[in-house]
Amino acid sequence: MAHITMREAISQALREEMYRDERVFIMGEEVGVWGGTYAVTRGFLDEFGEKRVRDTPIAEGVIVGAAIGAAIAGLRPVAELMTINFAFLAMDQIVNHAAKLHYMFNGQIRCPLVIRTVGGGGRQLAATHSQTPDVVFAHFPGLKVVAPGTPADAKGLLKAAIRDEDPVFFIEHATLYQLRGEVPDDEEYLVPIGVSDVKREGKDVTIVSYSKMLQTSLQAAEQLAKEGIEVEVVDLRTLRPLDMRPVLESVRKTNRLVVVEEGWRSYGIGAEVATRVMEQAFDYLDAPVRRVAQAEVPLPYNRRLEQMALPQVEDVVHAVNDVLYRKVSS
Amino acid sequence: MPDELSREELLEMYRQMVLIRRLEEKAAELYTAGLIGGFLHLYIGEEAIAVGACKALRPDDHLLTAYRDHGWAIARGLDPKRVMAELLGKATGVSGGKGGSMHLASAEHNYWGGHAIVGGHLPLATGVGLAIRYREEDKAVLCVFGEGSTNIGYFHESLNLAAVWKLPVVYLVENNQYGMGTEVSRASSRSNIFEKGCSYDVASAPVDGQDVLAMYRAMREALDYAREHGPFLMEAKTYRYSGHSMGDPERYRSKAEIEQWRAHHDPIDRLANLLTSQALAKETDLQKINRDVEEEMEEIVRFAKESPEPEDDALYEHVYVQPVPVQ
Ligand SMILES: Cc1ncc(C[n+]2csc(CCOP(=O)(O)OP(=O)(O)O)c2C)c(N)n1
């Protein structure tokens, strides 16, 4: 175990996999000489050389498309999209190609590809550079979508993604790179894709979340614990395929559910999880499910307005109190 | 005898072109009869390009094409029976009935599809080229698309990247003069598409796409060039006799224009004339090939019609290589 940052954990995963498998290489904007926009691949160019750490033109379509082509031909590309907002320029490659080829050609084509990208708001980058559109990608069968919320999960999931035979869309959060945590050194440490995880046990209310909002939810749980409320926090980790088992088990125990996501509420993770709980554990619910999510506006630049739009610890606390029918004077 | 191609090879190229044309005519018939669904884009008039180019392609080279792909599949050596079965959506089809006319592929032939998003496979082919360089293999990629696909961003992104990384890809434009109903000069800043190569410092050349031997020679050189140096942009001038797809009202061109191409630039007639004028084949030899193809067509159609539908289980097969069990 080492106490390291999310950035170091991701970096470690990439490095270990590149040493393990000659076919693994990185391509994207500023991944080489610059060292990665978020400094994840700093030093990689010197360590692995230009063949395996490839700076590309600013051309998202061909970054993802060429990575798919290389995967088809047997390599293991890790394509980096500087931020998730630019993934929209590669949407056709992600949706119409990566997600479709294996099925459409009846299993003849494989795309063992990882697309690493960075999402999330909270850094005053305004509307085009602050989005959390994770659900958009999770909509498509054929893709696997992963969004870790701890350094250990980031490392284990990225290693699993690189070893996976399917295209994996791997979403990091822009404000989590400095987050520290215990991370196994073991080179065979893997976290399976498609397995949700209970990050905090409790008996009163279930919170379902992931990525940055996992941290927000854990803080809310900490605060509520001081008031004697025991919150269970389930981390989805993978958005597709969605593992509902720990969520359902938890709801059957607590009978109350709050879903916390950073993206917009409409058609979101909350909508999906709440519906599945209704379909599979309706009789266990003692209160309507509550959703905590981003205000339905393009995110503004102004710090105060931006924070108003993003879910805060207090919003989560408030929602938990709501499902407990708890009156709290403020 | 032209080049080093033997008489047998030339006759085989003739046979392939005839087979492609008959298969397309048959497909049109089956479409009209309701046995083929979706879109159907015929290759009639353009046969020399696929046959000439695939003759130059080595077995371990790679091929990616657009949706006008039946001719390419056959020229690449896929079983015509399984091609037709795919058009009919049968389990025995090359893509198990899940791809249809626009999505033929065969991993064993390094034929990575049939792609129906205009320009979408150019980045893929570029990436296959990257894999070849990465592994230092002596191979090339042939990437085929229409002139209408050279106005989309992917064309620019792919040629630029292939040039920067010197990837062994031949980008072959089938300039059949129209992208659906839009005549080339109404959509492209240049009507000579090969000239676009200079923007990226990519070597390029035009070729007469109605002349199967010219096509073969040019492609062989282009592939060698690509293996050695990097990307090549080739423009095959051609013409499609049929509509863009079935049901095209064809308001954008005249019957006379089509007749002119059929009468004076037909690729099959052209090879037939060459073969007879150089005494490589007699008229009766060619007639025999035509008859043999007719017979083969019957077998192809019978196979496709009699093949089973995909099983219900096929619906959920191959979404993932490694599926995660759903709760
Ligand atoms: C991205 C995209 N836009 C539009 C279409 C619809 N479409 C299909 S074929 C076509 C014309 C393409 O013409 P060209 O590339 O010249 O090929 P041709 O059909 O002549 O062989 C169009 C507009 C599409 N399939 N994909």
Side-chain angles (χ1 to χ4, degrees), chain A residues 62 73 92 143-144 165-166, chain B residues 134-135 154 157 320-322:
Chain A
V62 80
D92 166 60
L143 279 185
K144 293 176 179 173
E165 292 294 334
D166 294 302
Chain B
Y134 192 95
R135 288 192 292 237
Y154 284 141
E157 293 190 21
Y320 296 101
V321 182
Q322 291 175 273

Side-chain angles (χ1 to χ4, degrees), chain B residues 10-317:
Chain B
L10 289 168
L11 287 176
E12 170 56 19
M13 287 162 86
Y14 174 83
R15 191 194 69 83
Q16 281 185 19
M17 289 204 284
V18 173
L19 174 61
I20 292 169
R21 183 161 300 185
R22 292 289 165 271
L23 187 128
E24 295 293 58
E25 288 166 352
K26 200 72 201 172
E29 222 179 283
L30 296 173
Y31 188 92
T32 308
L35 289 173
I36 295 175
F39 291 148
L40 185 71
H41 306 86
L42 302 181
Y43 197 56
I44 300 177
E46 308 185 38
E47 298 92 342
I49 305 176
V51 171
C54 286
K55 182 72 191 160
L57 217 53
R58 298 178 189 163
D60 61 355
D61 286 336
H62 298 269
L63 174 67
L64 293 92
T65 73
Y67 45 85
R68 202 176 294 286
D69 56 358
H70 316 156
W72 284 98
I74 287 168
R76 186 57 173 157
L78 277 68
D79 181 351
K81 295 202 288 296
R82 295 193 57 207
V83 169
M84 187 59 98
E86 188 61 37
L87 303 194
L88 269 67
K90 297 301 182 73
T92 54
V94 293
S95 298
K98 285 158 126 179
S101 154
M102 304 192 287
H103 304 113
L104 307 174
S106 172
E108 77 180 274
H109 295 87
N110 283 350
Y111 177 31
W112 306 114
H115 297 269
I117 300 293
V118 163
H121 60 297
L122 275 71
L124 270 52
T126 308
V128 175
L130 166 58
I132 291 172
R133 284 286 188 254
Y134 192 95
R135 288 192 292 237
E136 297 174 18
E137 296 168 333
D138 181 31
K139 297 181 187 171
V141 187
L142 174 58
C143 178
V144 188
F145 46 94
E147 85 293 337
S149 314
T150 67
N151 307 314
I152 203 162
Y154 284 141
F155 176 79
H156 166 78
E157 293 190 21
S158 299
L159 266 74
N160 182 64
L161 188 68
V164 172
W165 287 351
K166 302 196 174 10
L167 303 178
V169 185
V170 175
Y171 297 93
L172 170 61
V173 182
E174 298 179 304
N175 183 354
N176 60 17
Q177 323 290 333
Y178 298 92
M180 294 188 70
T182 305
E183 197 264 328
V184 55
S185 66
R186 297 178 56 228
S188 176
S189 64
R190 285 179 180 268
S191 298
N192 281 325
I193 303 296
F194 76 94
E195 290 170 359
K196 291 183 176 184
C198 73
S199 313
Y200 314 101
D201 207 12
V202 167
S204 67
V207 57
D208 181 351
Q210 305 309 92
D211 178 348
V212 71
L213 295 178
M215 197 60 226
Y216 162 68
R217 280 184 217 118
M219 184 52 67
R220 206 182 46 187
E221 274 180 33
L223 288 165
D224 285 344
Y225 177 92
R227 278 184 253 274
E228 179 90 4
H229 304 288
F232 193 95
L233 175 64
M234 184 185 294
E235 175 188 6
K237 309 268 190 190
T238 187
Y239 196 78
R240 66 166 155 75
Y241 298 174
S242 315
H244 167 70
S245 58
M246 297 296 286
D248 175 355
E250 298 195 55
R251 290 200 196 88
Y252 50 86
R253 61 179 184 180
S254 65
K255 289 243 161 21
E257 181 181 296
I258 306 172
E259 273 321 306
Q260 197 269 346
W261 276 86
R262 270 190 190 276
H264 302 294
H265 304 285
D266 187 76
I268 298 179
D269 289 351
R270 193 135 157 199
L271 181 59
N273 288 339
L274 179 105
L275 289 167
T276 48
S277 69
Q278 300 210 4
L280 291 163
K282 291 197 284 290
E283 196 60 46
T284 48
D285 297 330
L286 302 183
Q287 282 163 1
K288 165 136 181 28
I289 291 177
N290 295 352
R291 274 197 312 275
D292 290 350
V293 167
E294 292 300 343
E295 261 173 48
E296 189 184 347
M297 273 313 303
E298 276 174 35
E299 176 56 24
I300 289 168
V301 172
R302 193 194 55 76
F303 174 85
K305 282 184 172 168
E306 290 176 4
S307 282
E309 292 277 313
E311 302 282 338
D312 289 358
D313 288 350
L315 180 61
Y316 290 103
E317 252 169 32

